[in-house]
Amino acid sequence: HNHMSLQKGVWMSNEEKTPMAVNAGIDTLYLNVYHADPETFRRIDQPLDDTLQALFTDLQQQAKLTRQDVETPWSLDEQPLSMLSHGSGKQWLWILHNDFINVQIGNGDYRGLIAHMRVSSEYLWRVNALHRVLGLVNKLANTLFAHEMVLVPSAVDLCTDVANWSMSTIAHQAVVARARKHRSKFEEESLYVSGEETWNGRKLGTLYVGMRTSPVHGKLYDKLKEIKDGGNRKSWFLDIY
């Protein structure tokens, strides 16, 4: 048997120290929601129904008056969604959420975009079948907006969890990181100027590859440290391993 133990925030094998992938998949899913033509199921630009806008506003007002989230009739996988007392920015006027999904809703004025959904990491790993997740989320959208809706991927977070790979063993110079700075340094008894790299923070916890505004970017971080520092809110992830 290959026994595993937790040491310094990474899983270490008593027999094998070679880094190995122990898990891989979609970690977070972002979807834009539009009305669909009931016959062709293609996206159409159509504003949000006035009756629904009034209903969402009424639920939001209740949340403001009670100073707490208000449970709604809609649910995902039998967990009810709640209305927040506020929206987000100018585009998203209402927000529904539960532990599995966050739904920002607009009136459709911007190119017919009705909502932006973020499907949580916990739900994706719990179901562990993308086609089923998309089916359930699409069913929620159809019920929520009382219309056939189409889901368009906005962004997808992919992850791979690697055991036996400590952050301290990663060559920082090989990674494009925001924490890296470059400054000139005058050598003693010489006019020669050399470059010196410095790193922000006492201990670099996350390495970023590429810019977050780029179509493709990534980051390397200590997963178990994230679970611990987050008050074990992601301790459910340990069951996957």
Side-chain angles (χ1 to χ4, degrees):
H1 297 283
N2 190 14
H3 298 287
M4 304 291 287
S5 62
L6 182 61
Q7 298 178 6
K8 297 181 181 179
V10 294
W11 286 103
M12 299 296 291
S13 167
N14 295 334
E15 297 179 7
E16 181 60 63
K17 303 286 185 175
T18 303
M20 59 180 180
V22 294
N23 185 50
I26 297 178
D27 196 49
T28 312
L29 180 63
Y30 302 86
L31 302 165
N32 288 333
V33 183
Y34 300 86
H35 285 105
D37 185 305
E39 296 183 0
T40 65
F41 298 102
R42 291 183 177 179
R43 165 188 162 184
I44 56 175
D45 290 351
Q46 180 176 310
L48 184 64
D49 181 77
D50 290 341
T51 303
L52 277 177
Q53 293 194 42
L55 176 57
F56 293 151
T57 299
D58 181 61
L59 290 168
Q60 188 181 72
Q61 288 300 319
Q62 292 181 40
K64 288 179 179 179
L65 290 173
T66 58
R67 296 185 178 181
Q68 61 182 7
D69 299 352
V70 173
E71 188 173 303
T72 72
W74 305 288
S75 63
L76 176 62
D77 218 349
E78 301 183 354
Q79 185 176 116
L81 274 74
S82 296
M83 175 68 75
L84 296 182
S85 61
H86 56 83
S88 177
K90 295 181 179 180
Q91 184 174 359
W92 308 119
L93 306 177
W94 309 277
I95 299 176
L96 295 171
H97 77 109
N98 63 17
D99 292 339
F100 302 150
I101 196 167
N102 180 283
V103 185
Q104 297 177 310
I105 304 170
N107 55 22
D109 283 351
Y110 182 74
R111 297 183 179 179
L113 179 57
I114 298 298
H116 181 70
M117 294 179 165
R118 177 177 59 80
V119 185
S120 74
S121 174
E122 179 179 3
Y123 189 58
L124 286 162
W125 289 112
R126 174 184 166 183
V127 177
N128 200 26
L130 181 60
H131 68 282
R132 185 165 183 268
V133 169
L134 290 173
L136 291 168
V137 171
N138 207 162
K139 181 180 178 181
L140 166 64
N142 294 346
T143 305
L144 176 60
F145 300 112
H147 195 283
E148 195 71 43
M149 308 299 287
V150 61
L151 308 179
V152 179
S154 170
V156 180
D157 288 352
L158 304 175
C159 87
T160 300
D161 296 319
V162 182
N164 306 332
W165 193 28
S166 171
M167 290 291 291
S168 61
T169 64
I170 299 174
H172 294 173
Q173 291 79 8
V175 179
V176 180
R178 293 189 216 157
R180 181 188 298 173
K181 286 188 175 181
H182 189 89
R183 68 183 182 189
S184 299
K185 178 182 178 182
F186 287 89
E187 300 290 339
E188 292 184 8
E189 301 178 354
S190 171
L191 293 177
Y192 174 74
V193 180
S194 64
E196 179 187 23
E197 284 187 338
T198 61
W199 301 83
N200 292 339
R202 289 176 296 176
K203 188 176 181 180
L204 200 64
T206 302
L207 295 174
Y208 292 88
V209 182
M211 301 287 292
R212 292 191 68 177
T213 53
S214 300
V216 179
H217 61 272
K219 64 180 179 179
L220 304 171
Y221 63 96
D222 189 327
K223 184 69 176 183
L224 297 181
K225 185 175 185 300
E226 179 203 35
I227 294 173
K228 181 180 178 182
D229 292 349
N232 290 318
R233 286 177 299 178
K234 285 193 173 182
S235 58
W236 54 266
F237 221 106
L238 299 176
D239 295 333
I240 298 175
Y241 300 143

